[in-house]
Amino acid sequence: MTGIPQHHFAGLSACILHRSDDAIRQVAERCDRLGIRAIGSSSGFGADGASVADMIILDIDTGHDGAFPWAVAEAPVPVVGLIGSESPGRLGWALGQQVDAFLPMSALGNLFSALVIAHATFERRSAMARERAEVAHMRAGRLDVVRAVIALMADGGDEALALKQLRTMAMVGQTTLEGAARAVLADGPADRARDA
Amino acid sequence: MSYKLGLIFSTTGSYAALGRSALAGAMGAIDRIAQRGGVRIEPVIRDPGGDPSAYEAQTAELLDAGVRNIVGAITSWSRKDMIPILERKGGLLWYPCPYEGFECNDHVVYLGAAPNHHVVPAIDWIAAQGMTRAYLVGSNYVWGWETLRLARDRLQACGIEVVGERYVPLGSTAYHHLVDEIIATDPDCVVNSLIGPSSTGFVQALGARDPGRGARPGHLVSFNQTEADLAELGRHADNLLSAGSFFAEDAGPDLAAVARRHAPNKEVSCFLATAHAAVELFAAAVARAGTDAPHAVFDAVTDAPVETAIGLVGIDPVLRHAALTPRLALARDGKFRVIARAECAVPADPYLSRQSAPPIERRPGLRIVR
């Protein structure tokens, strides 16, 4: 990777979740120096805590799945995990949540690095999730492709010609093969004949 | 009661001139504080000779011998090599040099200019002169990489074209191909983040090949050129623009006397002045805290600003950086003349998170075609 990752955080907001007010103060001070507006809470998310923050900095010693208004490992913003006790169970929980970057409480001076890593990891994680959803969507359309090929073969060609015809439709319609197949099946034989 | 203070400066090797200047400032401050009847400071001096690996070993040696505070390091490379030892052994480094930012270590007090003190005002000045094309050259390590990356971002934000960007190995004198390229591309200014013999030789070679350049103010731009080694550049440094937190012109009689007595070239430089201020800050903090224990000393130095040779210096307790007064200066006949000076001390912004967009409104690059 040769590009410069996102490293300007001025104007963004961070939700700091920690059991200790002193820890919140320390993290908030560092956020302030980076131009980040910090919202601290020692009692979990408020009603709108997650929706207003651009990133989350949380205490992994006290975190639990029910603390977040989203499914496990599906945080909608970058998450930095503050390491306190280093107990394997807590680290395991944070890994299960797919926390984007870790920062020991003894190294708060490196918050900037943790934020850069968290934002880059989150971006990569989001891209992978989009890719997975796309692949799943394509897989779900396989049967439609088979059905569309069979439907097109009714016009007199063999399966190779029908598949080629379907690819052409996808290209012209600027859609996926699966999308073109669904369109063919939705049209029905009469419409295909008319479209042709 | 006296307190040990480590002074680790390369007074031999490729950037010895900077180390000698800084050591002179620190020793002068120790003398002056003793004369005033202040805290007694026992200097423990080491010379790594410009060898990066020696910094680590000498830092460990001093901390093992009971030294808890060190003023020193010139290059970022050496500072970054010292930090793991400072962390392991609980020492505190008072770093008196300009650097590239993006650092905030719990075992360092940053007293030199941060990028908002040097890169930002220098590039904004270039833009204000109406320059449109810049060439960037730096030593191939973190100072060169990061200062030029920041310069490139700022130049481009100002609408200035970067016509070339090249790096040479630390200490290398293989810069003649860069001189050829600069002559061929004819930029309005060359931003120079080379250090040591690379910088000296490059400036001389460029000046010799294209003597007309020297007539243009700001044809060369530096973020760390000081009087410590300005004379080595000779007349080719004329009209070089340097951005820094102190120039000799601002020195009071006491600092000038320190330079005459301790500096080999008798000149006040930013390195000399800031190292002097570092010792003054250390002494004030030790006096306030009653101990040289690093945590207590740091808390004490952040309690209130300290009057030093470079003015009143306050340290941010979170970012651990000094607020400094940035200046721009043009070189002429071996001296710097300050042409712009901030009205007051500016807090360091090592992550450049508080910078506004460049204030320069660029004119469209149009001309009348007949």
Side-chain angles (χ1 to χ4, degrees):
Chain A
M1 182 171 163
T2 55
I4 305 296
Q6 183 188 347
H7 61 284
H8 289 299
F9 305 110
L12 301 184
S13 62
C15 183
I16 305 168
L17 301 175
H18 203 285
R19 64 192 184 282
S20 154
D21 288 336
D22 187 53
I24 289 174
R25 181 188 55 75
Q26 288 182 53
V27 177
E29 280 182 345
R30 292 190 183 274
C31 285
D32 176 61
R33 300 306 198 274
L34 297 174
I36 299 168
R37 186 169 53 87
I39 310 152
S41 171
S42 54
S43 57
F45 274 116
D48 59 352
S51 62
V52 298
D54 297 306
M55 65 195 92
I56 292 161
I57 303 169
L58 63 86
D59 171 25
I60 66 172
D61 276 357
T62 54
H64 58 95
D65 292 348
F68 311 117
W70 55 75
V72 172
E74 289 185 10
V77 293
V79 179
V80 174
L82 295 169
I83 297 175
S85 70
E86 290 196 305
S87 68
R90 292 286 75 212
L91 292 168
W93 172 81
L95 288 167
Q97 275 285 348
Q98 295 194 18
V99 163
D100 296 301
F102 290 89
L103 180 66
M105 280 301 296
S106 58
L108 288 183
N110 298 110
L111 176 65
F112 176 78
S113 300
L115 293 179
V116 171
I117 293 167
H119 280 74
T121 307
F122 176 76
E123 184 53 42
R124 202 162 52 235
R125 190 157 60 88
S126 302
M128 283 174 66
R130 285 194 296 273
E131 201 174 304
R132 271 199 304 273
E134 198 176 313
V135 168
H137 186 68
M138 285 167 66
R139 277 186 186 152
R142 279 177 184 171
L143 191 57
D144 290 337
V145 172
V146 172
R147 286 177 177 146
V149 167
I150 292 169
L152 290 169
M153 284 169 65
D155 297 338
D158 61 8
E159 76 281 1
L161 183 63
L163 186 58
K164 187 177 177 185
Q165 201 178 343
L166 188 62
R167 283 208 175 100
T168 305
M169 289 173 172
M171 187 178 69
V172 171
Q174 295 187 344
T175 181
T176 60
L177 198 63
E178 293 75 15
R182 287 189 194 99
V184 165
L185 296 174
D187 273 1
D191 289 338
R192 278 204 310 281
R194 191 188 61 230
D195 292 347
Chain B
M1 172 93 188
S2 70
Y3 295 98
K4 289 181 178 174
L5 180 62
L7 302 176
I8 301 184
F9 289 111
S10 288
T11 50
T12 58
S14 62
Y15 50 90
L18 314 188
R20 286 183 198 137
S21 190
L23 181 65
M27 293 303 293
I30 291 171
D31 281 357
R32 288 188 60 214
I33 290 165
Q35 285 165 11
R36 288 201 307 256
V39 172
R40 283 182 53 210
I41 298 170
E42 181 188 335
V44 186
I45 302 171
R46 291 292 181 275
D47 170 18
D51 173 8
S53 62
Y55 283 90
E56 189 179 332
Q58 292 181 357
T59 302
E61 181 209 333
L62 292 196
L63 295 177
D64 286 342
V67 172
R68 298 204 271 186
N69 292 268
I70 294 170
V71 179
I74 296 285
T75 63
S76 289
W77 188 343
S78 55
R79 184 188 69 256
K80 286 178 187 292
D81 277 354
M82 293 168 78
I83 283 173
I85 306 298
L86 295 160
E87 288 175 336
R88 203 176 312 146
K89 297 177 184 289
L92 183 63
L93 173 67
W94 302 72
Y95 180 61
C97 304
Y99 89 115
E100 66 284 347
F102 295 90
E103 193 180 290
C104 174
N105 187 277
D106 285 347
H107 292 262
V108 182
V109 186
Y110 301 84
L111 302 173
N116 66 308
H117 295 134
H118 49 68
V119 173
V120 170
I123 300 302
D124 288 354
W125 183 87
I126 289 173
Q129 305 313 301
M131 296 188 192
T132 58
R133 303 171 80 245
Y135 187 99
L136 313 183
V137 55
S139 290
N140 201 17
Y141 81 112
V142 67
W143 163 260
W145 300 331
E146 285 298 308
T147 51
L148 294 190
R149 180 182 69 76
L150 296 170
R152 187 191 336 123
D153 283 355
R154 192 87 182 170
L155 285 164
Q156 290 172 341
C158 292
I160 296 173
E161 182 188 0
V162 175
V163 297
E165 181 172 347
R166 301 282 183 227
Y167 296 88
V168 298
L170 200 61
S172 168
T173 52
Y175 40 68
H176 294 286
H177 61 297
L178 308 183
V179 173
D180 292 341
E181 197 167 74
I182 291 166
I183 300 292
T185 53
D186 192 26
D188 295 322
C189 70
V190 176
V191 180
N192 174 19
S193 280
L194 295 165
I195 68 158
S198 306
S199 179
T200 308
F202 167 76
V203 171
Q204 289 173 345
L206 182 61
R209 281 282 301 280
D210 185 7
R213 303 181 60 79
R216 300 202 308 265
H219 66 98
L220 271 170
V221 176
S222 170
F223 309 127
N224 65 348
Q225 182 66 55
T226 75
E227 294 87 348
D229 56 349
L230 183 62
E232 292 177 18
L233 303 180
R235 63 187 168 82
H236 300 306
D238 281 356
N239 277 325
L240 176 153
L241 179 88
S242 183
S245 54
F246 199 82
F247 289 93
E249 183 182 306
D250 289 328
D254 291 340
L255 201 56
V258 165
R260 282 195 301 276
R261 178 163 181 212
H262 293 275
N265 67 352
K266 313 295 181 197
E267 296 282 351
V268 171
S269 76
C270 188
F271 290 103
L272 182 145
T274 312
H276 191 287
V279 174
E280 291 174 297
L281 287 159
F282 166 74
V286 164
R288 286 175 188 169
T291 170
D292 66 350
H295 280 299
V297 167
F298 181 74
D299 287 346
V301 83
T302 59
D303 264 355
V306 175
E307 191 62 52
T308 73
I310 62 171
L312 198 62
V313 176
I315 309 291
D316 183 312
V318 176
L319 285 183
R320 311 177 68 91
H321 285 63
L324 300 167
T325 305
R327 295 145 163 105
L328 295 174
L330 282 172
R332 169 67 70 181
D333 300 328
K335 304 281 182 195
F336 274 116
R337 180 173 56 85
V338 175
I339 57 167
R341 185 184 282 110
E343 290 175 2
C344 58
V346 176
D349 183 12
Y351 297 97
L352 290 183
S353 56
R354 293 171 182 268
Q355 301 305 303
S356 54
I360 314 302
E361 273 191 37
R362 303 293 304 165
R363 291 187 298 274
L366 304 177
R367 60 194 171 90
I368 296 168
V369 180
R370 296 176 192 278

